[in-house]
Amino acid sequence: MSLASLPDERAERDPNGPAVSDASVSLDNAAFLRRVQAAACHLEDLGIGPGDVVALKLTNRLEFVLLLFAAWRVGAVITPVNPGLTDVEVLRQLDDSDARLLVVEDGTTVTGHVATLAVGDLHDAGEPSQEPHVAPSALALLIYTSGTTGVPKGVMLDHANLDAMAAMGREALQVGLHDRCLLILPLFHVNGIVVSVLMPLLAGGNVVIADRFNPHTFFDAVERHRPTFFSGVPTIFNMLAALPPEVRPDTSSVRFAVCGAAPAPAELLARFESRYGFPLIEGYGLSEATCGSTLNPVAGPRRAGTVGVAFRGQEVRIVDGAGRQLAPGEGGEVVVRGPNVMRGYLGRPEETARVVVDGWLHTGDVGHLDEDGYLTLVGRTKDMIIRGGENIYPKEIEDVLAADPSVLEVAVIGVPDDTWGERVVAYVQPRPGGTVDPASLRARCVESLSGFKRPTETFTVDAIPKNAVGKIDKAALRTLHAAAAPVNEPADEPVLRHRP
């Protein structure tokens, strides 16, 4: 099934069945097709055709999904723009993608040379447009990386990438006609588009676009809309797990939730499932692999602390610095191969060639596989701390500290040290209304970590910095740490200090 023709096929199969809704509008399949056709006509009237790039600087709303399918219908490409970007950052993405049209929220102005359409002016009625433009090799999405490793790059995903990834996800998560996804992740990220929109719609299910995530109202939405699954990041699940014990929502409709974007502590997964009665299915992927590469089975054995096994149709290996495949249990770089691997970085052939080698996507993540193919991540190559010649992966330390009941989130970084080259520094965020017990953290580190891995300083903070998709932003944290005036010289024993 082509994603460009998906609205047509859904309307023909079940015209009165639910398709997509948000807080304002609920569309059945027939109405969904009519709105997509009207939007496609509007794009054509504006001169948008095959290969043209349409930028969407929108919050999560129904029109985002309509424009996604409308653009594909006329052969155009969508590049989602984070609404939180500055004008300078927006213009950089528009210029890099060579966008022909920018769709924005009503009342928004963006200074530049690109034609702008206010979303409220989007046509909702009109003559049916031409037949869907179906071309598997045509570019479908330009997803810009978060920029935490440098200037954001445009990840080129074609229709074949999206078709393959949506089909893999549908099979792995056993999503079908009766599933309803509650969309809470931002649609400017590939996870929100693929897992929460394309996959359920491809399977015949439907999508409810939630209001902006708020942990105190989230379960109200669950009880009202009765979703069967949703996708989130560890930060979201940490917030929900930290709600007061008297919060006991009806979650009987939910089969599972997908946890991705960053590794989650095994303790969080167990605590969440025990409290709310449905499992968190942890997976792993990246934009360059069209979202997902591994997943813990929904119906099979889930192994806490791992991010599961490869999706059927993908291969995952661990390699050393020379590209040689390593045996189970040996640590090295995670590489991925499959029909979901990106076409490349837009306008950056040299960087593409460095990252995709002989069809294998080099992720920059470090991990190991067990005998059964379950992947365990230990960090990113750029985050590795080298102290006195010893390699230290922050995730091992973060998992130890995150297991403390007083801690909501943890980020561990390496900072320069004249004697050791680098030393280990931890930032911890207390649970709401609580405080961190330094003696408890110290005892956990002594019990579980070798001396050279233990943080020499631990700072409590009100909030750990995140990027736009909810991942902990370690680059920003390093910058903040370097800019902050030192409290005093590091002590021989780990100390706990507060940093605003």
Side-chain angles (χ1 to χ4, degrees):
M1 179 184 293
S2 164
L3 291 172
S5 61
L6 180 58
D8 305 71
E9 297 183 33
R10 287 178 61 97
E12 181 178 358
R13 184 175 61 245
D14 183 15
N16 299 317
V20 185
S21 63
D22 64 7
S24 302
V25 183
S26 181
L27 300 180
D28 61 22
N29 287 319
F32 178 49
L33 174 59
R34 288 194 297 271
R35 292 287 300 273
V36 168
Q37 289 174 327
C41 284
H42 196 164
L43 293 180
E44 288 177 320
D45 290 345
L46 294 171
I48 301 299
D52 290 333
V53 176
V54 177
L56 304 183
K57 185 175 181 282
L58 298 172
T59 56
N60 281 13
R61 56 187 299 161
L62 178 72
E63 289 83 359
F64 192 113
V65 178
L66 295 175
L67 284 161
L68 196 68
F69 285 96
W72 293 341
R73 191 175 190 86
V74 302
V77 185
I78 288 291
T79 186
V81 180
N82 177 358
L85 295 182
T86 65
D87 284 351
V88 171
E89 293 168 320
V90 172
L91 291 174
R92 181 170 59 199
Q93 181 172 337
L94 297 178
D95 288 341
D96 190 73
S97 64
D98 195 23
R100 289 278 311 279
L101 177 69
L102 171 65
V103 184
V104 297
E105 300 287 341
D106 295 343
T108 301
T109 58
V110 176
T111 303
H113 59 274
V114 177
T116 302
L117 172 66
V119 70
D121 294 333
L122 181 67
H123 295 171
D124 59 8
E127 293 297 320
S129 65
Q130 62 183 330
E131 289 299 306
H133 187 279
V134 178
S137 61
L139 194 60
L141 282 178
L142 271 174
I143 299 291
Y144 276 77
T145 59
S146 59
T148 56
T149 58
V151 176
K153 300 183 288 289
V155 175
M156 296 188 292
L157 302 177
D158 59 26
H159 282 274
N161 292 143
L162 295 181
D163 290 343
M165 189 71 255
M168 290 174 185
R170 173 186 177 182
E171 177 185 3
L173 291 170
Q174 301 177 7
V175 175
L177 291 169
H178 303 294
D179 277 299
R180 170 174 294 162
C181 179
L182 183 65
L183 169 65
I184 56 175
L185 290 181
L187 279 170
F188 60 79
H189 188 257
V190 70
N191 188 310
I193 292 174
V194 172
V195 176
S196 299
V197 175
L198 300 186
M199 189 180 69
L201 291 182
L202 178 68
N206 62 94
V207 179
V208 176
I209 301 172
D211 293 331
R212 185 179 179 88
F213 175 78
N214 180 331
H216 302 291
T217 61
F218 172 74
F219 283 118
D220 294 337
V222 168
E223 293 180 339
R224 182 167 63 254
H225 298 296
R226 307 293 292 165
T228 59
F229 76 97
F230 63 93
S231 182
V233 297
T235 299
I236 285 175
F237 297 115
N238 261 317
M239 291 179 178
L240 295 176
L243 289 173
E246 60 268 21
V247 176
R248 299 210 170 270
D250 177 5
T251 61
S252 57
S253 69
V254 182
R255 295 198 294 119
F256 61 85
V258 179
C259 181
E267 182 272 339
L268 169 63
L269 304 180
R271 178 162 46 91
F272 189 97
E273 181 170 356
S274 174
R275 176 171 179 179
Y276 292 118
F278 60 89
L280 297 186
I281 308 298
E282 192 174 13
Y284 159 73
L286 57 167
S287 298
E288 289 86 343
T290 321
C291 185
S293 288
T294 68
L295 191 74
N296 267 285
V298 172
R302 302 193 307 275
R303 297 188 180 175
T306 80
V307 289
V309 298
F311 284 90
R312 194 159 73 90
Q314 293 189 53
E315 298 175 79
V316 175
R317 290 181 179 175
I318 307 298
V319 300
D320 63 15
R324 291 185 292 263
Q325 184 175 359
L326 298 176
E330 294 186 288
E333 185 181 12
V334 181
V335 296
V336 175
R337 182 166 68 178
N340 55 304
V341 170
M342 68 172 180
R343 182 188 296 183
Y345 294 119
L346 178 67
R348 292 173 169 83
E350 296 84 4
E351 289 189 59
T352 300
R354 283 196 295 271
V355 171
V356 182
V357 181
D358 296 328
W360 289 94
L361 173 65
H362 287 247
T363 66
D365 292 308
V366 180
H368 56 83
L369 293 167
D370 66 17
E371 293 286 351
D372 298 317
Y374 284 75
L375 174 64
T376 298
L377 297 174
V378 297
R380 285 192 60 78
T381 53
K382 67 181 181 63
D383 288 335
M384 184 175 70
I385 302 166
I386 304 177
R387 181 187 183 277
E390 297 282 359
N391 292 346
I392 303 170
Y393 289 103
K395 185 176 184 299
E396 180 183 4
I397 305 165
E398 290 165 351
D399 284 349
V400 170
L401 296 175
D404 191 279
S406 67
V407 172
L408 180 66
E409 286 193 302
V410 183
V412 170
I413 60 173
V415 302
D417 184 88
D418 290 339
T419 302
W420 298 102
E422 285 186 295
R423 66 178 187 272
V424 179
V425 171
Y427 280 77
V428 297
Q429 180 179 339
R431 292 191 181 280
T435 57
V436 173
D437 178 5
S440 175
L441 295 188
R442 193 176 303 116
R444 287 178 181 276
C445 290
V446 169
E447 179 183 0
S448 302
L449 299 170
S450 301
F452 70 93
K453 296 179 182 177
R454 298 171 195 161
T456 57
E457 295 173 289
T458 299
F459 294 95
T460 64
V461 290
D462 297 332
I464 293 175
K466 308 284 195 328
N467 65 16
V469 295
K471 294 183 183 180
I472 290 175
D473 191 342
K474 290 194 176 181
L477 190 58
R478 293 187 194 97
T479 300
L480 291 172
H481 183 90
V487 180
N488 51 43
E489 289 302 311
D492 292 333
E493 289 296 320
V495 294
L496 182 75
R497 302 181 174 117
H498 179 71
R499 175 162 285 171

